[in-house]
Amino acid sequence: MELRQLRYFVTVAQEAGFTRAAARLHLAQPGLSAQIRQLERELGQPLLDRGGRTVTLTDVGAAVLRHAEAALAAAERITQTVDEFTGLLRGQVRVGLISGAAVEEFDVAAVLADFHDDHPQVGISLSEDTSERMLAALGRGELDIALVGLTGAELDPGIGIDVVLDTAVVAAVPAADPGYDAEIPLAALRDRPLICLPPGTGIRGVFQRACAAAGFEPSIAYEAAAPPLLLRLAARGLGVAVVPALTTQEAAAFGVRTVRIVEPELRGQLALAWRTDQPGSPAAKVLLGQLRIAMRADA
C-alpha cells in the first residue's frame, strides 16, 4: 500500500467519480482505475461501488476513508515539520482573488513574484471568482488564501480576516446631469435603474442588504464584474452605478460624478481571508504574511 494510492482513493471518493478525480490529479483515467483496483486487491475488499451513475463508497470504503485521510494528513505534517527545521518551503498555495478590477488597489502580482523568487519550490495557483464562492471554497479547504469583498453577512467562525481597504459606497451619475444633489438617501434609489456588480460580490451584498433593511428590492438594470464598465454605462445615462468611492479625477476621467449614499451611509471592505481552525502549510503562512504586509503598505 502506497500513500499515492490512498491519495487517489480519497480523491475518487471526494469527486464521486473517476473522470473528475483523474482530471484533478492530472492522471489518465485507466491508470487511476488500475491503481484503485490494486489497492482493493491488497486490502482484499472492494472500496468503491461502481454500479451506479456515480461512484459511491462501500461500507468498507467508508471506514477506510477516514483512516486514509488521517494518514495523508499525518504525512503532510511530517513533511511540514522537516521543512520548518530546514527552512525550506515547498508545496502548493492556492490563492483566490475577487473578479474584475478591484485588485488594482494592490500590486498582488509583485508580491507573488517576489515570493516565487524566494521560494521557487512552492507552486502558486491563482483563480478569480466572486467573494461568496471564494469564502465557500475556503470553508471546504479548496483555497488557502483569498482576497474578498465583505458583504456584512456573518462569516464562518473558522475563517480569519484582515481588512485591507475600507471605502464608502457611492452612486455614480453622468457628470452633466443636474438632477442629483451631493447626497441621495438610499430609499430614493428604489425606483431608479441601477448598475451594479454581480451577486456574490462584496459591494453588491452590502447594497442589497441595506435595501432589504429599507424594505425594497433594488431594480438592477445592468451588471458587470469590472467597476470601469459600470462607470461607462452610468456616464451614458443607462442608470445609477453603485461603486466604491472615486477621486474627483477618477470620476471625471469616466465622465461621471459621485453622489454620497446616505440614510444609511454604506461602506465596502476588502479583506484577506484564511482558515484559522485548521493548520495551514508553512508556505501558505509565509505568503499570507507577505500579502498582509504589502497590502497594509499600499492601503
Side-chain angles (χ1 to χ4, degrees):
M1 185 188 312
E2 300 178 8
L3 277 175
R4 65 188 177 95
Q5 292 175 326
L6 296 181
R7 184 175 295 108
Y8 296 165
F9 166 61
V10 169
T11 304
V12 172
Q14 291 173 340
E15 297 293 342
F18 284 91
T19 301
R20 291 190 298 273
R24 180 172 154 188
L25 293 164
H26 305 290
L27 295 173
Q29 185 173 330
L32 175 60
S33 298
Q35 288 292 327
I36 297 297
R37 290 195 181 280
Q38 182 179 338
L39 177 62
E40 290 175 320
R41 285 195 296 270
E42 290 181 16
L43 295 175
Q45 292 288 334
L47 304 177
L48 300 170
D49 183 351
R50 301 163 174 80
R53 297 181 62 182
T54 59
V55 174
T56 58
L57 293 167
T58 64
D59 290 342
V60 173
V64 168
L65 178 63
R66 296 191 298 274
H67 297 292
E69 291 173 333
L72 293 173
E76 179 66 20
R77 287 194 294 273
I78 291 170
T79 300
Q80 290 177 7
T81 299
V82 173
D83 290 347
E84 288 171 357
F85 271 97
T86 60
L88 175 68
L89 294 183
R90 58 187 173 187
Q92 186 82 8
V93 183
R94 301 157 300 174
V95 180
L97 299 178
I98 52 175
S99 301
V103 294
E104 290 178 358
E105 293 283 347
F106 307 104
D107 194 353
V108 176
V111 179
L112 298 182
D114 289 345
F115 179 84
H116 175 70
D117 289 342
D118 293 338
H119 309 289
Q121 296 193 61
V122 178
I124 302 173
S125 63
L126 188 63
S127 59
E128 274 194 332
D129 211 332
T130 66
S131 299
E132 189 176 84
R133 286 197 286 263
M134 286 193 296
L135 287 169
L138 277 174
R140 294 192 299 268
E142 296 170 2
L143 286 176
D144 299 301
I145 306 167
L147 181 63
V148 300
L150 302 180
T151 66
E154 186 175 350
L155 293 174
D156 181 329
I159 292 179
I161 62 167
D162 182 11
V163 175
V164 295
L165 181 66
D166 184 288
T167 184
V169 178
V170 300
V173 300
D177 191 332
Y180 294 89
D181 296 325
E183 298 180 350
I184 185 169
L186 178 68
L189 297 176
R190 179 193 300 263
D191 299 319
R192 298 177 191 256
L194 301 171
I195 306 169
C196 290
L197 293 165
T201 55
I203 285 179
R204 175 67 175 270
V206 167
F207 182 66
Q208 287 204 291
R209 288 169 67 85
C211 292
F216 70 94
E217 179 73 21
S219 176
I220 309 299
Y222 298 93
E223 294 176 347
L229 179 55
L230 303 184
L231 296 172
R232 293 188 182 99
L233 294 171
R236 299 302 297 267
L238 295 175
V240 176
V242 179
V243 294
L246 305 168
T247 66
T248 303
Q249 293 80 6
E250 289 171 337
F254 284 100
V256 300
R257 64 184 179 90
T258 58
V259 177
R260 289 179 59 220
I261 299 173
V262 296
E263 301 176 20
E265 293 186 357
L266 306 181
R267 307 292 300 182
Q269 292 184 318
L270 199 61
L272 282 166
W274 66 95
R275 290 212 67 87
T276 58
D277 60 349
Q278 298 175 2
S281 71
K285 291 176 182 177
V286 171
L287 179 55
L288 174 62
Q290 293 183 359
L291 285 167
R292 295 174 76 178
I293 291 170
M295 291 184 176
R296 284 296 184 188
D298 291 342

